[in-house]
Each structure stands twice: as structure tokens, then as C-alpha cells.
């Protein structure tokens, strides 16, 4: 996959996660969403996301037909209880359900 795809996918995922007020209200701050790793010393709780298993672009004679990727998105907490982590996980699900991500420079595949 091209770096432009990853840049667009990262930006879309970040925007979708930070745009969910119910999720960000559970975090240490409204921008406590990080790609790959949180900066050292980051306050918890926060969310981290990264690509897990990119697929090979499906090509046609005229170019790439579509690209897809699998991302891991997880909440990080320091607690003796799993309650907050479960609540964050549920809000991650809510944030990512519904309308598809909008990737700049890419369209939606219609079947």
C-alpha cells in the first residue's frame, strides 16, 4: 500500500476517534489518541491505533480497484478494575460504527 493511503487512513481514523465526545471525555484529554505509540510520559487513559495486517491492493487493468487494511484500536488504562477499559472499548466501537471513514483522495467502493 502506498504511503498516501496510510496517511489518509491514519488521518481519517484519528479524526473519527477524536471527534467522538463520549470517547474523548473518558480519556486524559481530547487529543489523547495516538498512532502506534503514546509519547513517553503520556497521561492515561488514552487510545492507541496502528495497522495490523494490510492487504495487497486489488488491481484491475486500469489501476488499483480498492485497498483495505486491518487496524488495532485499543484503550490503555492503569487500574485494578477493567471497568474503565471496558467503557473505553465500548466507546471505540461506537465511534467506529456507522458512517464509513472518509479518506482524502479516496472514494467508496459501491457494489
Amino acid at each position: 500500500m502506498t504511503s498516501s493511503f496510510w496517511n489518509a487512513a491514519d488521518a481519517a481514523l484519528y479524526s473519527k476517534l477524536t471527534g467522538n465526545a463520549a470517547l474523548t471525555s473518558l480519556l486524559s484529554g481530547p487529543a489523547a489518541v495516538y498512532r502506534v505509540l503514546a509519547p513517553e510520559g503520556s497521561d492515561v487513559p488514552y487510545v492507541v491505533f496502528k495497522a495490523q495486517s494490510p492487504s495487497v491492493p486489488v488491481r484491475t487493468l486500469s489501476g488499483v480497484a480498492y485497498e483495505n487494511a486491518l487496524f488495532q484500536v485499543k484503550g490503555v488504562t492503569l487500574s485494578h478494575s477493567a471497568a474503565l477499559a471496558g467503557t473505553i472499548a465500548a466507546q471505540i466501537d461506537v465511534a467506529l460504527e456507522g458512517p464509513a471513514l472518509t479518506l482524502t483522495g479516496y472514494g467508496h467502493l459501491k457494489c
Side-chain angles (χ1 to χ4, degrees):
M1 289 189 189
T2 63
S3 62
S4 63
F5 172 81
W6 290 118
N7 291 340
D10 286 347
L13 194 51
Y14 180 85
S15 177
K16 189 77 128 166
L17 293 168
T18 57
N20 184 292
L23 173 60
T24 58
S25 71
L26 299 170
L27 306 179
S28 61
V33 175
Y34 305 102
R35 183 183 168 275
V36 182
L37 290 171
E40 188 174 341
S42 295
D43 292 331
V44 292
Y46 55 80
V47 170
V48 176
F49 69 92
K50 69 177 194 167
Q52 285 295 289
S53 180
S55 69
V56 176
V58 176
R59 299 182 183 276
T60 65
L61 294 175
S62 61
V64 175
Y66 64 88
E67 298 185 51
N68 62 22
L70 177 65
F71 281 82
Q72 177 187 47
V73 182
K74 65 180 179 178
V76 178
T77 66
L78 291 176
S79 176
H80 295 284
S81 168
L84 178 57
T87 303
I88 291 171
Q91 285 304 318
I92 289 170
D93 287 345
V94 169
L96 297 179
E97 292 213 4
L101 294 175
T102 301
L103 277 70
T104 302
Y106 292 82
H108 294 283
L109 178 64
K110 296 179 180 159
C111 297

